[in-house]
PDB file of all heavy atoms in Angstrom:
ATOM      1  N   ALA A  96      -4.668  -6.125  16.529  1.00  0.00           N
ATOM      2  CA  ALA A  96      -3.267  -6.006  16.119  1.00  0.00           C
ATOM      3  C   ALA A  96      -2.840  -4.548  16.126  1.00  0.00           C
ATOM      4  O   ALA A  96      -1.727  -4.211  16.548  1.00  0.00           O
ATOM      5  CB  ALA A  96      -3.074  -6.607  14.730  1.00  0.00           C
ATOM      6  N   MET A  97      -3.738  -3.665  15.683  1.00  0.00           N
ATOM      7  CA  MET A  97      -3.448  -2.229  15.684  1.00  0.00           C
ATOM      8  C   MET A  97      -3.216  -1.731  17.108  1.00  0.00           C
ATOM      9  O   MET A  97      -2.296  -0.946  17.361  1.00  0.00           O
ATOM     10  CB  MET A  97      -4.613  -1.461  15.060  1.00  0.00           C
ATOM     11  CG  MET A  97      -4.448   0.064  15.087  1.00  0.00           C
ATOM     12  SD  MET A  97      -5.955   0.925  14.597  1.00  0.00           S
ATOM     13  CE  MET A  97      -7.011   0.562  16.018  1.00  0.00           C
ATOM     14  N   ARG A  98      -4.020  -2.206  18.037  1.00  0.00           N
ATOM     15  CA  ARG A  98      -3.870  -1.770  19.432  1.00  0.00           C
ATOM     16  C   ARG A  98      -2.520  -2.200  20.004  1.00  0.00           C
ATOM     17  O   ARG A  98      -1.868  -1.444  20.715  1.00  0.00           O
ATOM     18  CB  ARG A  98      -5.006  -2.342  20.275  1.00  0.00           C
ATOM     19  CG  ARG A  98      -6.357  -1.695  20.000  1.00  0.00           C
ATOM     20  CD  ARG A  98      -7.400  -2.153  21.016  1.00  0.00           C
ATOM     21  NE  ARG A  98      -8.638  -1.434  20.836  1.00  0.00           N
ATOM     22  CZ  ARG A  98      -9.665  -1.869  20.107  1.00  0.00           C
ATOM     23  NH1 ARG A  98      -9.561  -3.039  19.489  1.00  0.00           N
ATOM     24  NH2 ARG A  98     -10.761  -1.157  19.992  1.00  0.00           N
ATOM     25  N   VAL A  99      -2.103  -3.422  19.689  1.00  0.00           N
ATOM     26  CA  VAL A  99      -0.809  -3.903  20.184  1.00  0.00           C
ATOM     27  C   VAL A  99       0.327  -3.062  19.623  1.00  0.00           C
ATOM     28  O   VAL A  99       1.221  -2.611  20.357  1.00  0.00           O
ATOM     29  CB  VAL A  99      -0.604  -5.393  19.825  1.00  0.00           C
ATOM     30  CG1 VAL A  99       0.800  -5.847  20.208  1.00  0.00           C
ATOM     31  CG2 VAL A  99      -1.640  -6.266  20.541  1.00  0.00           C
ATOM     32  N   LEU A 100       0.304  -2.824  18.310  1.00  0.00           N
ATOM     33  CA  LEU A 100       1.355  -2.018  17.676  1.00  0.00           C
ATOM     34  C   LEU A 100       1.383  -0.600  18.243  1.00  0.00           C
ATOM     35  O   LEU A 100       2.452  -0.048  18.518  1.00  0.00           O
ATOM     36  CB  LEU A 100       1.137  -1.976  16.159  1.00  0.00           C
ATOM     37  CG  LEU A 100       1.449  -3.266  15.393  1.00  0.00           C
ATOM     38  CD1 LEU A 100       0.829  -3.231  14.004  1.00  0.00           C
ATOM     39  CD2 LEU A 100       2.941  -3.481  15.269  1.00  0.00           C
ATOM     40  N   PHE A 101       0.207  -0.021  18.426  1.00  0.00           N
ATOM     41  CA  PHE A 101       0.120   1.362  18.897  1.00  0.00           C
ATOM     42  C   PHE A 101       0.529   1.485  20.364  1.00  0.00           C
ATOM     43  O   PHE A 101       1.322   2.346  20.733  1.00  0.00           O
ATOM     44  CB  PHE A 101      -1.306   1.877  18.710  1.00  0.00           C
ATOM     45  CG  PHE A 101      -1.502   3.291  19.169  1.00  0.00           C
ATOM     46  CD1 PHE A 101      -1.035   4.355  18.398  1.00  0.00           C
ATOM     47  CD2 PHE A 101      -2.155   3.569  20.363  1.00  0.00           C
ATOM     48  CE1 PHE A 101      -1.212   5.663  18.826  1.00  0.00           C
ATOM     49  CE2 PHE A 101      -2.329   4.862  20.795  1.00  0.00           C
ATOM     50  CZ  PHE A 101      -1.861   5.918  20.027  1.00  0.00           C
ATOM     51  N   ARG A 102      -0.008   0.620  21.205  1.00  0.00           N
ATOM     52  CA  ARG A 102       0.238   0.735  22.648  1.00  0.00           C
ATOM     53  C   ARG A 102       1.697   0.528  23.017  1.00  0.00           C
ATOM     54  O   ARG A 102       2.204   1.161  23.938  1.00  0.00           O
ATOM     55  CB  ARG A 102      -0.621  -0.292  23.397  1.00  0.00           C
ATOM     56  CG  ARG A 102      -2.095   0.055  23.435  1.00  0.00           C
ATOM     57  CD  ARG A 102      -2.887  -1.060  24.088  1.00  0.00           C
ATOM     58  NE  ARG A 102      -4.322  -0.777  24.065  1.00  0.00           N
ATOM     59  CZ  ARG A 102      -5.249  -1.641  24.457  1.00  0.00           C
ATOM     60  NH1 ARG A 102      -4.881  -2.842  24.875  1.00  0.00           N
ATOM     61  NH2 ARG A 102      -6.524  -1.309  24.413  1.00  0.00           N
ATOM     62  N   TYR A 103       2.354  -0.366  22.294  1.00  0.00           N
ATOM     63  CA  TYR A 103       3.729  -0.690  22.659  1.00  0.00           C
ATOM     64  C   TYR A 103       4.758  -0.067  21.718  1.00  0.00           C
ATOM     65  O   TYR A 103       5.946  -0.388  21.794  1.00  0.00           O
ATOM     66  CB  TYR A 103       3.893  -2.213  22.723  1.00  0.00           C
ATOM     67  CG  TYR A 103       3.007  -2.816  23.785  1.00  0.00           C
ATOM     68  CD1 TYR A 103       1.788  -3.404  23.449  1.00  0.00           C
ATOM     69  CD2 TYR A 103       3.353  -2.770  25.131  1.00  0.00           C
ATOM     70  CE1 TYR A 103       0.959  -3.943  24.421  1.00  0.00           C
ATOM     71  CE2 TYR A 103       2.531  -3.308  26.114  1.00  0.00           C
ATOM     72  CZ  TYR A 103       1.338  -3.888  25.749  1.00  0.00           C
ATOM     73  OH  TYR A 103       0.509  -4.413  26.713  1.00  0.00           O
ATOM     74  N   GLY A 104       4.302   0.818  20.830  1.00  0.00           N
ATOM     75  CA  GLY A 104       5.214   1.532  19.962  1.00  0.00           C
ATOM     76  C   GLY A 104       5.984   0.630  19.014  1.00  0.00           C
ATOM     77  O   GLY A 104       7.156   0.875  18.726  1.00  0.00           O
ATOM     78  N   LEU A 105       5.333  -0.416  18.512  1.00  0.00           N
ATOM     79  CA  LEU A 105       6.001  -1.374  17.615  1.00  0.00           C
ATOM     80  C   LEU A 105       5.736  -1.034  16.155  1.00  0.00           C
ATOM     81  O   LEU A 105       4.709  -0.440  15.815  1.00  0.00           O
ATOM     82  CB  LEU A 105       5.489  -2.792  17.898  1.00  0.00           C
ATOM     83  CG  LEU A 105       5.605  -3.290  19.340  1.00  0.00           C
ATOM     84  CD1 LEU A 105       4.942  -4.658  19.471  1.00  0.00           C
ATOM     85  CD2 LEU A 105       7.061  -3.356  19.774  1.00  0.00           C
ATOM     86  N   ARG A 106       6.662  -1.427  15.308  1.00  0.00           N
ATOM     87  CA  ARG A 106       6.474  -1.251  13.863  1.00  0.00           C
ATOM     88  C   ARG A 106       6.042  -2.548  13.199  1.00  0.00           C
ATOM     89  O   ARG A 106       5.338  -2.527  12.191  1.00  0.00           O
ATOM     90  CB  ARG A 106       7.767  -0.776  13.214  1.00  0.00           C
ATOM     91  CG  ARG A 106       8.236   0.589  13.682  1.00  0.00           C
ATOM     92  CD  ARG A 106       9.473   1.008  12.905  1.00  0.00           C
ATOM     93  NE  ARG A 106      10.049   2.234  13.417  1.00  0.00           N
ATOM     94  CZ  ARG A 106      11.122   2.822  12.913  1.00  0.00           C
ATOM     95  NH1 ARG A 106      11.735   2.275  11.882  1.00  0.00           N
ATOM     96  NH2 ARG A 106      11.595   3.930  13.437  1.00  0.00           N
ATOM     97  N   ASN A 107       6.505  -3.653  13.742  1.00  0.00           N
ATOM     98  CA  ASN A 107       6.212  -4.967  13.159  1.00  0.00           C
ATOM     99  C   ASN A 107       5.821  -5.949  14.259  1.00  0.00           C
ATOM    100  O   ASN A 107       6.301  -5.856  15.387  1.00  0.00           O
ATOM    101  CB  ASN A 107       7.430  -5.517  12.418  1.00  0.00           C
ATOM    102  CG  ASN A 107       7.887  -4.605  11.310  1.00  0.00           C
ATOM    103  OD1 ASN A 107       7.296  -4.577  10.245  1.00  0.00           O
ATOM    104  ND2 ASN A 107       8.946  -3.851  11.556  1.00  0.00           N
ATOM    105  N   LEU A 108       4.972  -6.888  13.896  1.00  0.00           N
ATOM    106  CA  LEU A 108       4.509  -7.892  14.840  1.00  0.00           C
ATOM    107  C   LEU A 108       4.587  -9.266  14.168  1.00  0.00           C
ATOM    108  O   LEU A 108       3.899  -9.513  13.170  1.00  0.00           O
ATOM    109  CB  LEU A 108       3.061  -7.589  15.239  1.00  0.00           C
ATOM    110  CG  LEU A 108       2.519  -8.164  16.548  1.00  0.00           C
ATOM    111  CD1 LEU A 108       3.352  -7.735  17.750  1.00  0.00           C
ATOM    112  CD2 LEU A 108       1.066  -7.728  16.722  1.00  0.00           C
ATOM    113  N   PRO A 109       5.438 -10.164  14.674  1.00  0.00           N
ATOM    114  CA  PRO A 109       5.490 -11.505  14.088  1.00  0.00           C
ATOM    115  C   PRO A 109       4.167 -12.239  14.313  1.00  0.00           C
ATOM    116  O   PRO A 109       3.485 -12.032  15.324  1.00  0.00           O
ATOM    117  CB  PRO A 109       6.624 -12.185  14.873  1.00  0.00           C
ATOM    118  CG  PRO A 109       7.405 -11.073  15.489  1.00  0.00           C
ATOM    119  CD  PRO A 109       6.409  -9.984  15.758  1.00  0.00           C
ATOM    120  N   VAL A 110       3.824 -13.096  13.374  1.00  0.00           N
ATOM    121  CA  VAL A 110       2.587 -13.887  13.464  1.00  0.00           C
ATOM    122  C   VAL A 110       2.975 -15.358  13.540  1.00  0.00           C
ATOM    123  O   VAL A 110       3.755 -15.850  12.711  1.00  0.00           O
ATOM    124  CB  VAL A 110       1.684 -13.644  12.239  1.00  0.00           C
ATOM    125  CG1 VAL A 110       0.354 -14.400  12.403  1.00  0.00           C
ATOM    126  CG2 VAL A 110       1.434 -12.157  12.036  1.00  0.00           C
ATOM    127  N   ILE A 111       2.447 -16.058  14.548  1.00  0.00           N
ATOM    128  CA  ILE A 111       2.793 -17.473  14.737  1.00  0.00           C
ATOM    129  C   ILE A 111       1.546 -18.345  14.676  1.00  0.00           C
ATOM    130  O   ILE A 111       0.427 -17.884  14.921  1.00  0.00           O
ATOM    131  CB  ILE A 111       3.508 -17.704  16.084  1.00  0.00           C
ATOM    132  CG1 ILE A 111       2.601 -17.266  17.251  1.00  0.00           C
ATOM    133  CG2 ILE A 111       4.835 -16.970  16.127  1.00  0.00           C
ATOM    134  CD1 ILE A 111       3.149 -17.630  18.627  1.00  0.00           C
ATOM    135  N   ASP A 112       1.758 -19.626  14.330  1.00  0.00           N
ATOM    136  CA  ASP A 112       0.649 -20.568  14.352  1.00  0.00           C
ATOM    137  C   ASP A 112       0.534 -21.194  15.740  1.00  0.00           C
ATOM    138  O   ASP A 112       1.234 -20.793  16.681  1.00  0.00           O
ATOM    139  CB  ASP A 112       0.808 -21.633  13.261  1.00  0.00           C
ATOM    140  CG  ASP A 112       2.062 -22.504  13.455  1.00  0.00           C
ATOM    141  OD1 ASP A 112       2.659 -22.492  14.557  1.00  0.00           O
ATOM    142  OD2 ASP A 112       2.437 -23.207  12.500  1.00  0.00           O
ATOM    143  N   LYS A 113      -0.341 -22.191  15.879  1.00  0.00           N
ATOM    144  CA  LYS A 113      -0.598 -22.790  17.190  1.00  0.00           C
ATOM    145  C   LYS A 113       0.624 -23.531  17.743  1.00  0.00           C
ATOM    146  O   LYS A 113       0.722 -23.741  18.958  1.00  0.00           O
ATOM    147  CB  LYS A 113      -1.785 -23.745  17.093  1.00  0.00           C
ATOM    148  CG  LYS A 113      -3.102 -23.022  16.807  1.00  0.00           C
ATOM    149  CD  LYS A 113      -4.260 -24.000  16.708  1.00  0.00           C
ATOM    150  CE  LYS A 113      -5.563 -23.248  16.425  1.00  0.00           C
ATOM    151  NZ  LYS A 113      -6.710 -24.182  16.291  1.00  0.00           N
ATOM    152  N   LYS A 114       1.550 -23.889  16.879  1.00  0.00           N
ATOM    153  CA  LYS A 114       2.753 -24.587  17.330  1.00  0.00           C
ATOM    154  C   LYS A 114       3.883 -23.623  17.676  1.00  0.00           C
ATOM    155  O   LYS A 114       4.937 -24.052  18.145  1.00  0.00           O
ATOM    156  CB  LYS A 114       3.221 -25.567  16.255  1.00  0.00           C
ATOM    157  CG  LYS A 114       2.238 -26.699  15.980  1.00  0.00           C
ATOM    158  CD  LYS A 114       2.792 -27.630  14.905  1.00  0.00           C
ATOM    159  CE  LYS A 114       1.822 -28.778  14.635  1.00  0.00           C
ATOM    160  NZ  LYS A 114       2.339 -29.682  13.563  1.00  0.00           N
ATOM    161  N   GLY A 115       3.673 -22.344  17.401  1.00  0.00           N
ATOM    162  CA  GLY A 115       4.712 -21.357  17.684  1.00  0.00           C
ATOM    163  C   GLY A 115       5.643 -21.106  16.514  1.00  0.00           C
ATOM    164  O   GLY A 115       6.673 -20.440  16.663  1.00  0.00           O
ATOM    165  N   LYS A 116       5.297 -21.617  15.343  1.00  0.00           N
ATOM    166  CA  LYS A 116       6.115 -21.390  14.162  1.00  0.00           C
ATOM    167  C   LYS A 116       5.745 -20.067  13.510  1.00  0.00           C
ATOM    168  O   LYS A 116       4.571 -19.679  13.469  1.00  0.00           O
ATOM    169  CB  LYS A 116       5.951 -22.537  13.162  1.00  0.00           C
ATOM    170  CG  LYS A 116       6.592 -23.838  13.612  1.00  0.00           C
ATOM    171  CD  LYS A 116       6.607 -24.861  12.495  1.00  0.00           C
ATOM    172  CE  LYS A 116       7.367 -26.129  12.919  1.00  0.00           C
ATOM    173  NZ  LYS A 116       7.458 -27.105  11.824  1.00  0.00           N
ATOM    174  N   LEU A 117       6.755 -19.387  12.987  1.00  0.00           N
ATOM    175  CA  LEU A 117       6.550 -18.097  12.330  1.00  0.00           C
ATOM    176  C   LEU A 117       5.861 -18.319  10.987  1.00  0.00           C
ATOM    177  O   LEU A 117       6.360 -19.029  10.126  1.00  0.00           O
ATOM    178  CB  LEU A 117       7.890 -17.394  12.120  1.00  0.00           C
ATOM    179  CG  LEU A 117       7.859 -16.001  11.503  1.00  0.00           C
ATOM    180  CD1 LEU A 117       7.196 -15.007  12.439  1.00  0.00           C
ATOM    181  CD2 LEU A 117       9.281 -15.542  11.168  1.00  0.00           C
ATOM    182  N   VAL A 118       4.700 -17.671  10.790  1.00  0.00           N
ATOM    183  CA  VAL A 118       3.944 -17.838   9.544  1.00  0.00           C
ATOM    184  C   VAL A 118       3.719 -16.520   8.809  1.00  0.00           C
ATOM    185  O   VAL A 118       3.238 -16.503   7.677  1.00  0.00           O
ATOM    186  CB  VAL A 118       2.583 -18.512   9.801  1.00  0.00           C
ATOM    187  CG1 VAL A 118       2.777 -19.942  10.282  1.00  0.00           C
ATOM    188  CG2 VAL A 118       1.750 -17.709  10.805  1.00  0.00           C
ATOM    189  N   GLY A 119       4.051 -15.390   9.462  1.00  0.00           N
ATOM    190  CA  GLY A 119       3.829 -14.113   8.799  1.00  0.00           C
ATOM    191  C   GLY A 119       4.304 -12.947   9.633  1.00  0.00           C
ATOM    192  O   GLY A 119       4.816 -13.109  10.748  1.00  0.00           O
ATOM    193  N   MET A 120       4.147 -11.746   9.055  1.00  0.00           N
ATOM    194  CA  MET A 120       4.469 -10.501   9.741  1.00  0.00           C
ATOM    195  C   MET A 120       3.362  -9.506   9.451  1.00  0.00           C
ATOM    196  O   MET A 120       2.846  -9.432   8.336  1.00  0.00           O
ATOM    197  CB  MET A 120       5.803  -9.936   9.250  1.00  0.00           C
ATOM    198  CG  MET A 120       7.022 -10.729   9.688  1.00  0.00           C
ATOM    199  SD  MET A 120       7.426 -10.516  11.436  1.00  0.00           S
ATOM    200  CE  MET A 120       7.967  -8.810  11.438  1.00  0.00           C
ATOM    201  N   ILE A 121       2.997  -8.738  10.462  1.00  0.00           N
ATOM    202  CA  ILE A 121       2.032  -7.665  10.289  1.00  0.00           C
ATOM    203  C   ILE A 121       2.723  -6.364  10.690  1.00  0.00           C
ATOM    204  O   ILE A 121       3.508  -6.343  11.637  1.00  0.00           O
ATOM    205  CB  ILE A 121       0.754  -7.912  11.138  1.00  0.00           C
ATOM    206  CG1 ILE A 121      -0.421  -7.123  10.593  1.00  0.00           C
ATOM    207  CG2 ILE A 121       0.965  -7.650  12.595  1.00  0.00           C
ATOM    208  CD1 ILE A 121      -1.071  -7.768   9.389  1.00  0.00           C
ATOM    209  N   SER A 122       2.486  -5.297   9.968  1.00  0.00           N
ATOM    210  CA  SER A 122       3.190  -4.049  10.228  1.00  0.00           C
ATOM    211  C   SER A 122       2.235  -2.870  10.239  1.00  0.00           C
ATOM    212  O   SER A 122       1.041  -2.999   9.919  1.00  0.00           O
ATOM    213  CB  SER A 122       4.257  -3.809   9.151  1.00  0.00           C
ATOM    214  OG  SER A 122       3.640  -3.491   7.918  1.00  0.00           O
ATOM    215  N   ASN A 123       2.771  -1.692  10.576  1.00  0.00           N
ATOM    216  CA  ASN A 123       1.976  -0.473  10.546  1.00  0.00           C
ATOM    217  C   ASN A 123       1.414  -0.211   9.153  1.00  0.00           C
ATOM    218  O   ASN A 123       0.306   0.301   9.001  1.00  0.00           O
ATOM    219  CB  ASN A 123       2.824   0.726  10.992  1.00  0.00           C
ATOM    220  CG  ASN A 123       3.130   0.685  12.478  1.00  0.00           C
ATOM    221  OD1 ASN A 123       2.369   0.130  13.258  1.00  0.00           O
ATOM    222  ND2 ASN A 123       4.250   1.256  12.874  1.00  0.00           N
ATOM    223  N   ILE A 124       2.194  -0.559   8.122  1.00  0.00           N
ATOM    224  CA  ILE A 124       1.731  -0.375   6.754  1.00  0.00           C
ATOM    225  C   ILE A 124       0.485  -1.198   6.488  1.00  0.00           C
ATOM    226  O   ILE A 124      -0.462  -0.740   5.845  1.00  0.00           O
ATOM    227  CB  ILE A 124       2.848  -0.761   5.758  1.00  0.00           C
ATOM    228  CG1 ILE A 124       3.998   0.241   5.838  1.00  0.00           C
ATOM    229  CG2 ILE A 124       2.312  -0.823   4.321  1.00  0.00           C
ATOM    230  CD1 ILE A 124       5.177  -0.104   4.960  1.00  0.00           C
TER     231      ILE A 124
END
Side-chain angles (χ1 to χ4, degrees):
M97 177 190 70
R98 288 189 174 94
V99 174
L100 287 164
F101 180 76
R102 287 175 183 173
Y103 298 99
L105 305 175
R106 296 184 187 181
N107 301 282
L108 202 57
V110 184
I111 60 172
D112 63 15
K113 293 180 180 179
K114 295 180 179 179
K116 289 190 175 183
L117 183 67
V118 294
M120 289 286 291
I121 201 80
S122 71
N123 289 332
I124 292 176

